[in-house]
Amino acid sequence: MKFSVKRSELVNKLNIVSRAISGKVMIPILTGIKISVTDSDLTLIGSNSEISIKTVLSNTPEKQENLVIAEKGEIVANANFFTNIIKRLSGDRVDIATEGSQIKIVAGKSEFMVSGQSADNYPQLPRIDDLDSISLSSKQLIDIIGETIRSVSIQDSRPLLTGIHFIIDNEQLKAVSTDSHRLSQRITQISSANSADVVVPGRTLTELRALLEGIDQLNLQFDQSQLLVDLGQTTFYSRLLEGQYPDTDRLIPSESTTGFVIDAAQLASSLDRVSLVAHQSGNLVAKFTIKQGKLTISTAQSEVGKVSEELSIDHFIGQDLEISFNPDFVRDALSSIAEEQLNFSFTTNLRPFVIRPASFSDNNKVQLITPVRTF
């Protein structure tokens, strides 16, 4: 293997595949990046068994200054070590060649000789059969991930809850996540007649979102166990979570006894101050007191003190209510919705309450928070 490549192009490609590489893998060779050179292109692959990313740099005539191939071949390089060397080199170009199991890296007056591994031992990329494909814009997917990712569970005791549930049917995509204490739901219209019911790991979607800059349209392709996303020069693979996701439709209340509309910026600012006291006290609980059409947000008295603020609300309906909650969950919900005016609706102080954009009366954009029981 022997080629010369523009250093900035190689760094960009290494940054892409490095997103799939983890230090905690069962297969030691997966701490490396597979480098493959053919007569026409350079391919890099990174994987951690759950996520795999393949990206290609071609030596097409219009981009021949980026890549010049002298000899084909393939090898696996230690991902962290190899990437750090390339990033720290001076000069615009890097010459890379293999000498047996060694990788020779030359740029300017610098020359490195580092150990590699045989590419024959590197696992094959996932094979995906009988694909179901849906098309949507990258903006739609970025918004869907942003509005649901915070409610994904970080506990491995219920693996399905560490993912986002995608239900695709009748040109509609519903994305739902819950960690059993809160729930996020986003329903959006898409131009795809195909259907799917899959659970995609949260980490997969976080890494995928980081690769969507500059991408317009994309296809999500599913089979029973894998997701494939074609991003042009980059292909993204991920395993899907197996099992039946909980029925979340029944968790969203269809009626309410108390409700109001509030300015999101005003509430966010107040929650920042309330969270400061709640965190310092070690008791991460705040309380809404809704009385005679007025809203007060407060914390209980603790060793560090307490806080109480009265906030302006509009369109108050229903009964007076006191309800305790985790202020961080509500702050996350506000960030996820990202709307100026929010509608809060409650049933009782022991049932989850719902936050929607004030302009939405349906469940297309919902954040649900379970209250905290206090005694």
Side-chain angles (χ1 to χ4, degrees), residues 1 15 36 45 69 72-73 82 105 107 121 154 163 169 176 183-184 203-204 258 312 320 370-371 373:
M1 181 181 79
N15 285 339
S36 301
I45 298 174
I69 295 170
K72 2 182 239 190
F82 183 80
I105 306 167
N121 299 323
I154 59 174
D169 197 23
V176 184
L183 177 147
S184 300
R203 182 178 175 231
T204 288
T258 303
S312 301
D320 293 347
T370 300
R373 296 188 180 217

Side-chain angles (χ1 to χ4, degrees), residues 281-311:
S281 70
N283 182 24
L284 200 54
V285 177
K287 182 171 70 174
F288 281 144
T289 301
I290 307 159
K291 190 173 183 180
Q292 298 178 349
K294 296 182 180 180
L295 171 66
T296 302
I297 182 171
S298 62
T299 62
Q301 179 68 50
S302 69
E303 291 182 2
V304 301
K306 66 177 183 177
V307 62
S308 177
E309 295 189 15
E310 186 174 303
L311 305 179

Side-chain angles (χ1 to χ4, degrees), residues 4-5 38 66 71 98 106 133 159 191 232 323 352 369 372:
S4 175
V5 63
T38 66
N66 291 341
E71 185 179 322
T98 54
V106 179
S133 175
S191 56
I323 189 167
I369 311 291
V372 175

Side-chain angles (χ1 to χ4, degrees), residues 11-145:
V11 168
N12 178 53
K13 297 298 185 182
L14 289 169
N15 285 339
I16 290 172
V17 296
S18 292
R19 292 192 165 275
I21 295 171
S22 169
K24 300 177 181 178
V25 289
M26 298 296 291
I27 307 172
I29 200 169
L30 291 183
T31 60
I33 291 172
K34 182 179 178 181
I35 305 169
S36 301
V37 177
T38 66
D39 292 330
S40 59
D41 54 46
L42 163 68
T43 300
L44 303 180
I45 298 174
S47 178
N48 62 9
S49 295
E50 298 182 359
I51 297 173
S52 299
I53 301 175
K54 178 181 77 174
T55 190
V56 178
L57 179 62
S58 300
N59 67 340
T60 54
E62 62 272 16
K63 291 189 176 181
Q64 201 162 23
E65 74 279 3
N66 291 341
L67 175 65
V68 177
I69 295 170
E71 185 179 322
K72 2 182 239 190
E74 56 184 9
I75 199 165
V76 177
N78 181 280
N80 188 50
F81 189 37
F82 183 80
T83 300
N84 283 331
I85 288 174
I86 300 301
K87 287 181 177 180
R88 285 165 172 76
L89 290 172
S90 60
D92 293 334
R93 298 194 70 79
V94 183
D95 297 324
I96 297 175
T98 54
E99 298 180 5
S101 62
Q102 299 292 301
I103 306 170
K104 184 179 181 180
I105 306 167
V106 179
K109 296 181 179 180
S110 300
E111 180 177 316
F112 288 81
M113 190 69 77
V114 300
S115 297
Q117 299 182 69
S118 172
D120 294 340
N121 299 323
Y122 199 87
Q124 296 294 314
L125 287 170
R127 180 178 175 179
I128 301 182
D129 301 314
D130 302 324
L131 293 178
D132 289 319
S133 175
I134 64 163
S135 177
L136 70 166
S137 72
S138 63
K139 183 183 184 307
Q140 283 179 306
L141 185 57
I142 289 169
D143 288 346
I144 289 166
I145 296 170

